[in-house]
Amino acid sequence: MSDIRLRFAPSPTGYLHIGGARTALFNWLYARHHGGTFILRIEDTDTARSTQESINAILNSLTWLGLNWDEQIYYQSQRRNLHNEHIEKLLAADQAYYCYCSPHELDQMRKSAMSKGQKPKYDGRCRRLNNKQAKPAVVRFKTPLSGQTVVNDLIKGRVCFDNSELDDLIIRRSDGTPTYNLAVVIDDATLNISHIIRGDDHLNNTPRQILLYQALGYKPPCFGHVPLILGTDKSRLSKRHGATSVGAYKDAGYLPQ
């Protein structure tokens, strides 16, 4: 086996969409072509919407398509201690902070910024607090206030993001659960994922994730963002365009090939 490791990481909040199947196929093919490893990770941190029924549907669809994985199935929800260890490292290094702003304050912040023609993002007011308070709080990552983060995309080429446009993203919710952007970075880094091929809709997450890799001392993987599958009206494929799930094609008599 080579050092090339790719993953498919679906969220079990529904069936396997045909777009997700295509993303899985690209990752599987790249791993197989280079003699690498293809990993399946279930991103089930959304406890309110994730279901065992959806997990079963995803596994059945991937198996039917012949997209076999090489290691045990990883479940993001079982890695929470690892996620929290990394959050504590960021807090200790002053690269993250507790934010006590209420939903009302955040809403007022957004409205105020929009009224001035500014981007509606968090203004960083809790960055200046040095004491931990005895009330519910989220943890935010300290995004650099200046400079650029560059994504050398395998498909799109060089894409630059101004750090001033990125807000201090929440990495742990007030209920203690890690957010997607934090968990995905920790999981990809600790599973030694070398290449990430995913949809265009994740491109805006990439600079935030690269900054997290750097803050934690990990080398970012190679990223490639593929165009989304569109319907005949050029909008993102959805149920209104017809069948979108792999299971529906199977039921209609299509062969996996």
Side-chain angles (χ1 to χ4, degrees):
M1 284 286 185
S2 73
D3 292 333
I4 289 181
R5 292 169 63 85
L6 291 95
R7 50 74 164 174
F8 178 55
S11 176
T13 55
Y15 53 76
L16 179 62
H17 189 276
I18 196 70
R22 185 187 65 157
T23 298
L25 177 63
F26 285 154
N27 283 277
W28 183 87
L29 284 172
Y30 196 93
R32 294 290 175 261
H33 179 75
H34 291 282
T37 302
F38 176 67
I39 287 170
L40 177 62
R41 186 175 71 233
I42 304 296
E43 298 196 334
D44 56 346
T45 50
D46 186 345
T47 54
R49 298 172 58 221
S50 297
T51 66
Q52 187 60 48
E53 181 183 5
S54 294
I55 293 173
N56 294 340
I58 290 168
L59 299 182
N60 290 339
S61 293
L62 289 173
T63 301
W64 179 69
L65 289 169
L67 303 181
N68 57 313
W69 48 93
D70 297 312
E71 297 179 358
Q72 68 182 76
I73 300 174
Y74 296 94
Y75 291 88
Q76 203 168 60
S77 61
Q78 296 173 6
R79 300 167 63 81
R80 187 167 297 172
N81 288 343
L82 183 65
H83 302 150
N84 280 320
E85 286 172 14
H86 284 78
I87 292 170
E88 294 305 321
K89 285 181 184 178
L90 291 172
L91 285 166
D94 196 30
Q95 292 177 311
Y97 60 95
Y98 291 99
C99 172
Y100 303 93
C101 295
S102 67
H104 175 71
E105 288 176 298
L106 295 173
D107 185 53
Q108 292 300 112
M109 212 178 292
R110 282 190 289 267
K111 288 177 179 176
S112 174
M114 291 175 71
S115 69
K116 300 172 186 173
Q118 300 171 348
K119 188 173 182 178
K121 66 173 190 172
Y122 182 68
D123 64 9
R125 65 182 62 178
C126 286
R127 270 186 179 229
R128 299 179 287 276
L129 300 177
N130 344 352
N131 58 324
K132 188 176 179 183
Q133 302 176 17
K135 59 181 181 179
V138 301
V139 176
R140 290 183 182 270
F141 174 63
K142 276 190 177 180
T143 301
L145 299 175
S146 60
Q148 285 189 327
T149 298
V150 178
V151 180
N152 290 307
D153 197 273
L154 296 168
I155 297 164
K156 297 179 175 297
R158 182 182 170 91
V159 186
C160 299
F161 295 85
D162 289 329
N163 293 334
S164 60
E165 291 292 306
L166 309 174
D167 57 2
D168 289 353
L169 79 156
I170 295 172
I171 56 176
R172 185 164 64 197
R173 303 178 185 90
S174 58
D175 64 2
T177 58
T179 59
Y180 163 77
N181 277 304
L182 183 282
V184 74
V185 165
I186 304 309
D187 289 342
D188 286 334
T190 55
L191 291 172
N192 299 312
I193 300 302
S194 63
H195 294 71
I196 294 175
I197 301 172
R198 57 189 182 184
D200 263 348
D201 50 339
H202 283 286
L203 181 59
N204 285 338
N205 287 325
T206 306
R208 297 177 170 89
Q209 292 171 6
I210 287 175
L211 289 169
L212 280 168
Y213 277 104
Q214 293 171 344
L216 289 164
Y218 290 118
K219 179 184 177 182
C222 300
F223 290 95
H225 293 86
V226 298
L228 302 178
I229 296 180
L230 305 180
T232 52
D233 59 357
K234 306 300 182 186
S235 65
R236 185 172 179 172
L237 186 69
S238 66
K239 288 181 180 178
R240 72 175 181 276
H241 296 110
T244 58
S245 77
V246 171
Y249 285 101
K250 178 184 177 183
D251 294 341
Y254 281 82
L255 300 178
Q257 292 81 359

